Amino acid sequence: MPKQNKPQKPAPNPEQALYQALSLCRKAGQLTMGFDAVEEACVKGKAWLVLTASDASPKTVQRMKNAVGDLVDVLPMPLTQDQLAAVCHRAVAVYAVTDRNLAKLCFDRLTDCGIIMNEEELSE
């Protein structure tokens, strides 16, 4: 009897995929949240990637970049604090991913969202 092809689920949009990646980080215990906790994780060398919510204040983002920008990449997300509240159960503007592989996953999802440009695109 031939195999029947199961209908494929539609691929989630890039923002939903990023949200799912952050949720996975949280469930794995590899997501640090809040300015002070993220800064401490970066200084101790535990953070691989720092992410900021799209509605984080410019002052907060600049302070984070000044504090840890030379240690870890600080990247904006297309998600707001309200959208991310379901992940962490409160509104948080700054996140750090403390696992290398999960950080790569989040980085790839940010690339899919168009936040990160490829080096080839930047050189033109």
Side-chain angles (χ1 to χ4, degrees), residues 8-88:
Q8 295 288 330
K9 291 183 186 177
N13 67 25
E15 290 183 13
Q16 184 64 28
L18 176 61
Y19 177 86
Q20 291 171 350
L22 287 171
S23 181
L24 180 64
C25 294
R26 168 79 173 171
K27 289 176 184 174
Q30 301 298 318
L31 188 66
T32 302
M33 298 164 289
F35 189 94
D36 294 334
V38 167
E39 184 178 23
E40 182 179 341
C42 292
V43 169
K44 289 183 176 180
K46 294 181 180 179
W48 286 89
L49 180 65
V50 174
L51 303 167
T52 60
S54 64
D55 58 346
S57 77
K59 184 178 178 181
T60 299
V61 174
Q62 191 59 47
R63 281 182 52 218
M64 183 55 64
K65 286 181 179 179
N66 291 341
V68 301
D70 56 338
L71 302 172
V72 173
D73 289 333
V74 179
L75 302 172
M77 291 185 287
L79 303 170
T80 65
Q81 293 179 48
D82 287 339
Q83 290 172 317
L84 295 165
V87 172
C88 58

Side-chain angles (χ1 to χ4, degrees), residues 102-117:
L102 291 172
K104 171 85 170 83
L105 175 69
C106 292
F107 188 88
D108 291 344
R109 297 298 178 258
L110 284 170
T111 303
D112 294 343
C113 290
I115 300 297
I116 302 166
M117 298 295 209

Side-chain angles (χ1 to χ4, degrees), residues 1 5 11 14 37 57 86 95 103 106 108 124:
M1 183 176 250
N5 290 336
S57 77
Y95 300 83
C106 292
D108 291 344
E124 293 179 357

